[in-house]
Amino acid sequence: MIRVDRVALRGLKARGHHGVFPREREEGQTFIVDLVLGLDTRPAAADDDLAKTVHYGIVAEEVVAVVQGEPVNLIETLAERIAQVCLKHDGVQQVEVCVHKPDAPITVPFDDVTVTIIRSRV
């Protein structure tokens, strides 16, 4: 059985220009990202060494850069790009990405739209 600990980042906010409608691409909107990174934190804890775990500050900056970067039509695509960035970090074996689009162009009252994906190295 593979042991996976979790490091979570919740509520990362960034403005992006994602969506299928011209207004979304032109005006942009706020996206919120929640991450759960799966990794073995025992080596870092044993030595109290940041180099032996994931630096979540750097991950946060990279995720925000993806949201602010090249526009895509679907938040599914955005979530996939975010997952791939997270999995490039040594030690990160799995990632759960939830992308929130609270200002989605929906004609009825709603609180939020989310897409959640789970990706792993295997």
Side-chain angles (χ1 to χ4, degrees):
M1 181 175 194
I2 298 174
R3 177 183 169 94
V4 180
D5 302 318
R6 299 181 305 167
V7 173
L9 291 90
R10 306 259 188 232
L12 296 172
K13 294 180 184 173
R15 190 157 185 84
H17 294 265
H18 312 289
V20 296
F21 298 112
R23 182 174 177 213
E24 294 178 291
R25 292 293 182 107
E26 293 164 10
E27 296 177 15
Q29 60 192 292
T30 299
F31 293 84
I32 302 166
V33 178
D34 299 324
L35 300 174
V36 179
L37 306 171
L39 63 151
D40 185 352
T41 62
R42 290 176 294 180
D47 295 337
D48 199 24
D49 186 352
L50 176 61
K52 294 183 179 179
T53 188
V54 64
H55 190 309
Y56 51 78
I58 292 173
V59 172
E61 291 171 359
E62 292 172 350
V63 168
V64 166
V66 171
V67 174
Q68 293 174 337
E70 180 186 349
V72 296
N73 289 333
L74 304 176
I75 57 176
E76 292 87 342
T77 306
L78 183 59
E80 186 68 36
R81 289 184 178 181
I82 291 168
Q84 295 310 312
V85 164
C86 295
L87 288 171
K88 288 182 181 178
H89 287 267
D90 291 338
V92 175
Q93 301 166 24
Q94 183 181 69
V95 63
E96 179 177 311
V97 178
C98 180
V99 176
H100 300 255
K101 189 174 180 180
D103 298 320
I106 297 175
T107 60
V108 296
F110 73 102
D111 289 330
D112 199 4
V113 172
T114 66
V115 169
T116 303
I117 65 170
I118 298 172
R119 299 292 182 265
S120 63
R121 291 182 183 271
V122 284

